[in-house]
Amino acid sequence: MPAKSVGPIPPPPLVYLAFIGCAWALARWAPLDLPPHELVAYAGWTAIALGVLLMLWAAWEMLRHRTTINPYGRPSSLLQTGPFGFSRNPIYLADTLIYCGVGVLLDSLWPWLLLPLLIYCMQRAVIVHEEHLLTRLFDDEYRTYRRRVRRWL
């Protein structure tokens, strides 16, 4: 039985890509360069690598528990192990790490100025909808989990 629709939500990867595109365009058209530093590339690639590893870990947990990774799908279980033990949204946290890594590599202030708006958009356009669905599906178990584990970190 499919879950009731929680309303249209944008594809989360496209939200992040849209913000990366905006940051890139703003960095080209209205540069706000960061001071150069020899460790910038290492920091950027490290954040990207950590984001990819966190995403793979979360995806592995979802596959291991045979629940959907698709934000439009119906989860079959409430994950509380692996990265879900410290973040209710480890894939979005991973996406944010990747965004920050790309932001560092852009060598611009724009990704950092857009980051609070990106977090706000993800929470309002995606995460809140997912939380409503999880509350409907898992009720008290999800409420207890929400009290124990933070949304991001």
Side-chain angles (χ1 to χ4, degrees), residues 24 65-66 69 95 103 106-107 113 143-144:
W24 178 82
H65 289 276
R66 297 183 184 179
I69 196 167
D95 288 337
L106 282 176
D107 202 24
L113 294 174
R143 292 176 207 281
T144 301

Side-chain angles (χ1 to χ4, degrees), residues 5-145:
S5 173
V6 293
I9 61 171
L14 291 182
V15 174
Y16 281 91
L17 286 174
F19 272 85
I20 287 171
C22 287
W24 178 82
L26 286 166
R28 297 299 169 253
W29 295 328
L32 290 176
D33 295 339
L34 293 174
H37 195 280
E38 63 271 2
L39 296 178
V40 167
Y42 295 114
W45 287 110
T46 299
I48 291 169
L50 289 172
V52 168
L53 289 173
L54 178 57
M55 189 177 302
L56 290 173
W57 185 20
W60 173 253
E61 280 296 304
M62 295 172 110
L63 290 171
R64 194 168 72 85
H65 289 276
R66 297 183 184 179
T67 192
T68 183
I69 196 167
N70 180 350
Y72 302 106
R74 179 190 174 124
S76 60
S77 61
L78 179 63
L79 299 183
Q80 300 181 49
T81 59
F84 296 92
F86 63 83
S87 174
R88 294 195 316 257
N89 297 287
I91 292 179
Y92 302 147
L93 178 59
D95 288 337
T96 303
L97 278 169
I98 293 167
Y99 171 89
C100 289
V102 171
V104 168
L105 295 176
L106 282 176
D107 202 24
S108 171
L109 190 57
W110 283 112
W112 308 105
L113 294 174
L114 294 174
L115 182 59
L117 182 59
L118 168 59
I119 299 295
Y120 177 79
C121 287
M122 282 300 296
Q123 286 184 185
R124 298 299 300 157
V126 177
I127 294 171
V128 168
H129 293 286
E130 290 180 354
E131 289 176 344
H132 289 300
L133 174 64
L134 291 170
T135 300
R136 277 199 319 270
L137 292 174
F138 301 107
D139 197 27
D140 287 338
E141 183 183 9
Y142 183 67
R143 292 176 207 281
T144 301
Y145 174 64

